[in-house]
Amino acid sequence: METVPNENNALVNLDLQPVFLDSPNNMEATPNKRRKKKSIVWEHFTIENVGAGCRRACCKQCKQSFAYSTGNKVAGTSHLKRHIAKGSCPVVLRNQERDLSSPFSAPPKIGSNAMNPAIEPPKRRYRTATAPFFAFDSDRCRHEIARMIIMHDYPLHIVEHPGFMAFVQNLQPQFDMVNFSTVQGDCVATYLREKQSIQRLIEGMPGRICLTLDLWNSCQTTGYVFVTGQFVDSDWKIHRKLLNVVMEPYPESDSAFSHAVSSCLSDWNMEGRLFSLTVNQPLSEIGIDSLRGLLSEKNPNILGGQLLLRNCLARSLSGIAQEALKANHETVKKVRDCVKYVKTSESLEEKFLSLKQQLQVPSTKMLALDDQTQWNTTYEMLLAASELKEVFSCLDTSDPDYSKGPTGEEWKLVENLCTYLKLLFDTAILLTASSIPTTNTFFHEAWKIQLELARGTTSDDLAISRLTKPMQENFDKYWKSCCLILAIAVVMDPRFKMKLVEFSFTKIYGDDAATYINIVDEGIHQLFLEYVALPLPLTTAYLEEANGMPGAVGDVKMEDGMTGMSNGLGLTDFDVYIMETTSQQSKSELDQYLEESLLPRVHEFDVVGWWKLNKVKYPTLSKMARDILTVPVSTVVPESVFETGRKEMDRYRCSLRAETVEALVCAKDWLRGETIDTANAMIKMEFPI
């Protein structure tokens, strides 16, 4: 659809129906000549002869008739313009309401030069019978300003900045500019509207929720705990939502995290539905105990307390990479200086590329200086320089100003460093995806890192062993605290089950593998028994799910036409009795799953979707898989995975009320609309078998 602006810069749509300027509808019939009619009103009116020397203008839309000419007297077109422009025509008014789309658009003026076809050079035009008229909506303007501030992290005071005020005034003079207090209220109102949608989503989830806790520092010594929830809805779609930003006056205290979790559970009415916790920093024993008590009212020590993940994978990988780069900072600095020298001018870079072509170096890598706050950029800089080391080695022969670069031994160190940083990089890059990877994905990555670093420490090459020993010691802390939950998650993958655990643990632990394999086997059976003992939930989501299953209680009809007594007539204890007395049969549900053959191993596999399809065959085990596969391994957002420093709340937001900060930050996350189908979370990976 083509549009043209009128004198107020409002857009007028033009359809694909051709109207020729020399057509009869655009010509005034006179005895002597045919003159083109220039007024835009003839887009909306036709001339009818009603008598000798008397003609009237008839509205094409509402068919009303207006005086036009009597004899030699012509009434003009002003009253016809008013009929269209002032909204007198009921049909045009309906079109205006239907086409309303822009809160800033004012009604266009009929007859402006910008809409006059006479000044257009082409002979053929495409026009609609009616031009849409846009009404100004002040409330919608305020709503859009609030969304703009939330989405782009603009300060609330932007509405009082002279430049912004002048811009809005010129854009739409009718808008009464809001002040700080008003726009703050509008932002909070937007937050509350969006919160209602998230609340309904959480109330409808059939399983439990996993929380991550990410502590941000501030210039005021206070802390902000970002509490994010991850869960599966009744359609088996994984969601990740920022639920709360809790200001903690004493972030170093043992109770800071537990207070944030308690506030979140209370705010969203989720008591008794918490499955796991993932934190981003080491905790004291008192802090661990207080968090563990929130996990499960029945058994806070289930799986040895490992549903409390005390290490964020992204933070752990960043810490290990930082330590490795710091330990070899002199060599890294030499490489950085070489890259900086080449990148200082276009002529030097052209000379470098010319030398690369002469030497026929096959690398396609491009040199780039690193951002030392993002460790992946340092890795990529070292990798590119390492592949182009031959060019650097010969650069001094063609450029006498080039100082001597790294030695051959130092280049070898860079190659080794890149080899082991690649292990960390390949795992961290999975955390940057916009989709939500399931927990089983990271068992493959974690055991591969653990194995390769362990092998490196026993290498005959002293340079490799010196490099990998501190890396392995640091990663071993993560592995010991999280390997059980990761192993149980991969058992829930029907392509691997216990087989991959047995294979990988044999590689890592050697003769002691049987002990660790038995821990995983006991852990998964213990967790399954917890689900067997749970009473059947009588939530709306559960009943809807049950109604879709053959033989579900909700499908039973009583003689009087009422549904079965499964919803609150005193049979909850009976449900518990049934589950307990058939525990042996329910337990065999897990054993049956483990004994069945593995599915063919494909690189793209929707594991959550598989459990959705098999929830009738495995009614209890599928519920356990739904929860265990959504345990988050990282507490940070994708764009912060490679950051080397701690997150800090900016000075401006620290000056706002804690409730306002929470509203702005949470609403931004929700407005992004990151509800992701697990089908979009399938990740390609190389398997070790």
Side-chain angles (χ1 to χ4, degrees), residues 194-252:
E194 296 297 326
K195 185 175 182 178
Q196 291 178 354
S197 301
I198 306 299
Q199 183 72 63
R200 289 192 294 269
L201 193 62
I202 291 176
E203 288 174 352
M205 69 177 184
R208 306 188 196 182
I209 192 167
C210 305
L211 298 181
T212 68
L213 309 175
D214 191 24
L215 177 62
W216 287 32
N217 298 325
S218 76
C219 60
Q220 298 177 345
T221 70
T222 56
Y224 293 82
V225 180
F226 283 56
V227 185
T228 302
Q230 193 159 301
F231 58 94
V232 176
D233 67 13
S234 55
D235 292 327
W236 291 74
K237 295 179 181 179
I238 301 180
H239 298 262
R240 179 172 55 207
K241 301 292 182 183
L242 178 61
L243 301 179
N244 293 95
V245 178
V246 183
M247 195 272 284
E248 292 293 339
Y250 305 99
E252 69 282 352

Side-chain angles (χ1 to χ4, degrees), residues 68-85:
Y68 179 60
S69 67
T70 302
N72 294 327
K73 295 182 180 180
V74 179
T77 59
S78 298
H79 62 305
L80 305 181
K81 293 177 183 178
R82 285 194 296 272
H83 177 69
I84 298 298

Side-chain angles (χ1 to χ4, degrees), residues 4 14-15 17 19 40 43 115-117 125-129:
V4 295
L14 304 176
D15 68 6
Q17 297 179 353
V19 178
I40 194 68
E43 299 277 343
M115 299 176 61
N116 191 342
R125 300 284 297 165
Y126 294 88
R127 295 188 180 279
T128 55

Side-chain angles (χ1 to χ4, degrees), residues 33-47:
K33 62 179 180 178
R34 303 173 68 186
R35 181 171 56 85
K36 295 180 180 179
K37 290 186 176 296
K38 298 181 179 180
S39 177
I40 194 68
V41 299
W42 302 117
E43 299 277 343
H44 308 277
F45 289 88
T46 59
I47 296 176

Side-chain angles (χ1 to χ4, degrees), residues 179-400:
N179 57 22
F180 167 83
S181 298
T182 303
V183 79
Q184 179 178 240
D186 290 344
C187 288
V188 172
T190 300
Y191 159 77
L192 293 175
R193 282 194 300 269
E194 296 297 326
K195 185 175 182 178
Q196 291 178 354
S197 301
I198 306 299
Q199 183 72 63
R200 289 192 294 269
L201 193 62
I202 291 176
E203 288 174 352
M205 69 177 184
R208 306 188 196 182
I209 192 167
C210 305
L211 298 181
T212 68
L213 309 175
D214 191 24
L215 177 62
W216 287 32
N217 298 325
S218 76
C219 60
Q220 298 177 345
T221 70
T222 56
Y224 293 82
V225 180
F226 283 56
V227 185
T228 302
Q230 193 159 301
F231 58 94
V232 176
D233 67 13
S234 55
D235 292 327
W236 291 74
K237 295 179 181 179
I238 301 180
H239 298 262
R240 179 172 55 207
K241 301 292 182 183
L242 178 61
L243 301 179
N244 293 95
V245 178
V246 183
M247 195 272 284
E248 292 293 339
Y250 305 99
E252 69 282 352
S253 67
D254 295 326
S255 61
F257 280 116
S258 59
H259 172 260
V261 174
S262 298
S263 298
C264 177
L265 296 178
S266 175
D267 185 26
W268 295 90
N269 193 26
M270 295 189 300
E271 286 85 353
R273 306 192 71 181
L274 180 60
F275 182 69
S276 73
L277 286 169
T278 307
V279 297
N280 71 333
Q281 66 181 43
L283 300 172
S284 66
E285 288 301 321
I286 297 176
I288 291 172
D289 291 340
S290 62
L291 281 177
R292 196 170 285 165
L294 297 170
L295 280 173
S296 170
E297 297 175 0
K298 184 174 182 180
N299 185 4
N301 291 312
I302 188 171
L303 296 184
Q306 291 200 57
L307 286 175
L308 171 58
L309 281 72
R310 288 173 278 176
N311 292 275
C312 165
L313 180 57
R315 299 287 191 194
S316 297
L317 296 177
S318 292
I320 296 170
Q322 277 184 272
E323 289 297 322
L325 293 170
K326 185 178 179 180
N328 300 278
H329 70 278
E330 292 183 0
T331 302
V332 173
K333 185 178 183 302
K334 276 190 176 183
V335 175
R336 184 180 293 118
D337 290 341
C338 291
V339 175
K340 187 185 298 184
Y341 177 80
V342 173
K343 300 292 289 185
T344 51
S345 71
E346 291 185 7
S347 60
L348 289 173
E349 191 167 7
E350 290 175 0
K351 183 183 297 185
F352 184 87
L353 293 175
S354 176
L355 183 58
K356 173 189 172 184
Q357 293 176 353
Q358 293 177 23
L359 296 172
Q360 297 182 345
V361 176
S363 175
T364 58
K365 298 287 185 182
M366 299 297 294
L367 293 178
L369 277 172
D370 62 330
D371 174 0
Q372 295 183 53
T373 65
Q374 301 277 338
W375 69 265
N376 62 308
T377 64
T378 305
Y379 159 69
E380 290 166 346
M381 179 190 71
L382 294 175
L383 183 62
S386 177
E387 293 187 8
L388 298 168
K389 63 180 180 180
E390 185 179 353
V391 185
F392 280 110
S393 300
C394 299
L395 188 58
D396 57 348
T397 60
S398 59
D399 187 351

